[in-house]
Amino acid sequence: MRRTAKGVAVLASAALALTLVACGEDEQSAGEGSTTDPAAMKAELTWWDTSDPKNEGPVFQELIAKFNQTYPNVKINYQSVPFGEAQNQFKTAAQAETGAPDIMRAEVAWVPEFASLGYLYALDGSELLADESDFLPTPLASNKYDGKTYGVPQVTDTLSLMYNKKLLAEAGVAAAPTTWAELKTAAQAVKEKTGADGLYLNPEGYFLLPFLYGEGGDLVDVPAKKIVVGSDQNVAGLEIAKDLIDSGAAVPPPATDSYGTMMTLFNEEKVAMIINGPWEVNNVSQAPAFGGVENLGIAPVPAGSAQAGSPVGGHNYTVWSGMPEEKVEAAIAFVAFMSSAESQAFLAEKLGLLPTRKSAYDLDAVQSNPIVTAYQPAVEAAVSRPWIPEAGQFFEPLDEMVTKVLIQNRDPKEALDELAKRYQAEVVTAYGF
């Protein structure tokens, strides 16, 4: 069932109008910004935070406390929702018109899908996008659907090669590997000379995209409306990943809790190299056995025969289209605070997360942050994902395919061909081959 968006309150400003539009519904207008005294603003908002509750969650709660110093009467009901469950939970609640959060931290691929279903307000014309040009173009693009903007970029990220400097040095590896072949050689050297394992590959679809992109592959060709996941390029990329495990250069991953196992082994210096993103930097730097952030090396993912390319990731702030109209003013104030350059610099300083505002990179806390600096080349080499409503549905089937190949030893070509058929049957039904 498709819901009808509720009207949006006219905010207490006689200045320019902003537009908050539920996708596919009539436009509703409200004032650009509020002349209300922040201390006099009263509201109760629910925010779903999908970040790691132990590593990142406490820092986001610190930001909420800072927000409440200015807006003491805007209560934020902070709810940590498991990332793997949040997408479907939100859709279920939004469709039922009850239980959805007023504001959500949404993965970049979710926004076009939620917008296409009418579950988000478009923010075009609001004070949230008054300085739209300050956002980096790629993170902002993930919020666009059908000519309108349905979210505000929170953080951007990509995958990188994270490595233990000490273990690589002990193995005689002078520099971070820049190709998959170099990675294999370095991993084998670590295993032979240090006793630690050289490499761990997380057997999930998102983490295998660098192997596909590295050979020039992709999942779909959006302009041509074509499913290309079964391409020869993707077969070659998947075979490279499989060979790293089959050869012993990489640890054979378990069938359950593969991500947790990867981080435990890396943090305990039992494996020298992993492919992961900036969201784990704080966790690694605080691991008792690792040796601090000084021992953490960060480099772009190694290149295949075509390029070195990791997927663009990140998260956005979104506003539920079913929000009661009396909450809109406070919701805008909250998102504006959380997405400000100062708040993004705070997250960069505390967690190593990458800002989405250009102006944030001019602040001292960001300029002097070695993690942000280290991730810049990786972000610049990142491959933009297809921002279509179905994009968030690619990964469950992709995860299952990767498990079949890397854990169950299925033939890569057969597994990819099965995946292509599943995409056509379940995900992008209007696409061909």
Side-chain angles (χ1 to χ4, degrees):
M1 178 183 72
R2 184 162 181 182
R3 73 177 312 282
T4 299
K6 297 180 180 179
V8 183
V10 176
L11 305 185
S13 172
L16 301 176
L18 68 83
T19 302
L20 288 176
V21 188
C23 178
E25 307 295 344
D26 294 335
E27 293 190 358
Q28 316 286 338
S29 57
E32 178 208 27
S34 175
T35 57
T36 303
D37 178 358
M41 187 182 295
K42 294 183 179 180
E44 186 169 337
L45 301 169
T46 297
W47 179 40
W48 279 12
D49 178 18
T50 58
S51 70
D52 184 293
K54 293 182 179 180
N55 180 33
E56 298 173 291
V59 179
F60 288 116
Q61 292 180 71
E62 284 187 58
L63 270 183
I64 292 173
K66 290 177 178 290
F67 170 78
N68 282 139
Q69 292 175 7
T70 303
Y71 294 89
N73 295 308
V74 178
K75 181 180 179 181
I76 306 298
N77 292 323
Y78 174 88
Q79 296 182 11
S80 178
V81 180
F83 176 79
E85 302 172 11
Q87 182 183 11
N88 287 333
Q89 284 187 12
F90 178 79
K91 288 193 292 185
T92 299
Q95 183 180 30
E97 303 185 36
T98 181
D102 303 305
I103 299 160
M104 181 181 183
R105 175 185 181 266
E107 206 271 345
V108 287
W110 301 350
V111 178
E113 179 187 14
F114 294 165
S116 72
L117 295 170
Y119 296 159
L120 302 179
Y121 277 123
L123 305 175
D124 303 271
S126 76
E127 66 177 271
L128 297 176
L129 296 174
D131 53 354
E132 182 174 342
S133 62
D134 189 40
F135 287 108
L136 298 173
T138 299
L140 185 63
S142 68
N143 293 283
K144 304 286 187 179
Y145 173 72
D146 199 23
K148 295 185 174 64
T149 308
Y150 290 90
V152 175
Q154 182 203 41
V155 296
T156 188
D157 62 52
T158 193
L159 294 172
S160 66
L161 178 67
M162 300 173 71
Y163 59 94
N164 186 307
K165 294 179 180 179
K166 181 179 70 174
L167 288 176
L168 260 64
E170 290 177 359
V173 179
T178 60
T179 66
W180 297 125
E182 290 180 4
L183 181 70
K184 182 178 180 179
T185 299
Q188 291 171 331
V190 168
K191 190 169 184 177
E192 291 171 3
K193 298 180 181 179
T194 72
D197 283 304
L199 176 66
Y200 187 109
L201 296 181
N202 185 34
E204 296 179 6
Y206 187 78
F207 292 81
L208 265 291
L209 286 177
F211 291 91
L212 309 188
Y213 292 160
E215 300 306 306
D218 209 333
L219 305 183
V220 294
D221 181 338
V222 175
K225 292 190 178 300
K226 186 177 180 181
I227 298 168
V228 297
V229 74
S231 68
D232 292 342
Q233 293 92 331
N234 285 346
V235 172
L238 198 53
E239 286 176 341
I240 291 171
K242 188 174 185 300
D243 174 68
L244 287 170
I245 295 172
D246 292 346
S247 67
V251 180
T256 60
D257 193 25
S258 58
Y259 184 93
T261 301
M262 172 176 68
M263 293 315 304
T264 297
L265 294 176
F266 189 67
N267 288 342
E268 294 179 354
E269 295 197 308
K270 294 177 180 178
V271 67
M273 295 178 285
I274 61 174
I275 293 172
N276 214 334
W279 56 86
E280 281 292 353
V281 169
N282 186 54
N283 190 17
V284 173
S285 66
Q286 295 183 13
F290 190 80
V293 70
E294 297 80 7
N295 191 38
L296 176 62
I298 297 169
V301 295
S305 64
Q307 63 180 344
S310 57
V312 170
H315 294 85
N316 304 318
Y317 293 108
T318 58
V319 179
W320 178 38
S321 60
M323 171 190 292
E325 59 187 36
E326 63 269 16
K327 294 185 178 184
V328 171
E329 184 179 23
I332 291 174
F334 179 66
V335 174
F337 175 86
M338 296 293 283
S339 62
S340 68
E342 291 74 17
S343 291
Q344 292 192 7
F346 178 80
L347 294 175
E349 182 179 12
K350 291 281 189 175
L351 297 172
L353 299 182
L354 309 182
T356 62
R357 284 187 178 275
K358 300 171 187 176
S359 58
Y361 288 88
D362 295 328
L363 301 178
D364 291 342
V366 177
Q367 287 188 340
S368 61
N369 189 303
I371 301 303
V372 173
T373 302
Y375 265 99
Q376 294 267 226
V379 170
E380 291 171 1
V383 177
S384 185
R385 290 148 62 190
W387 306 127
I388 56 176
E390 301 87 353
Q393 300 173 42
F394 285 135
F395 288 97
E396 183 178 349
L398 188 64
D399 289 346
E400 293 177 11
M401 182 278 296
V402 171
T403 296
K404 291 176 182 177
V405 174
L406 298 189
I407 296 177
Q408 300 173 3
N409 205 33
R410 285 284 303 278
D411 177 73
K413 174 61 176 173
E414 291 179 0
L416 285 167
D417 285 344
E418 288 178 4
L419 178 61
K421 293 176 182 177
R422 185 173 174 185
Y423 276 174
Q424 187 178 54
E426 300 176 11
V427 183
V428 281
T429 56
Y431 282 37
F433 295 109

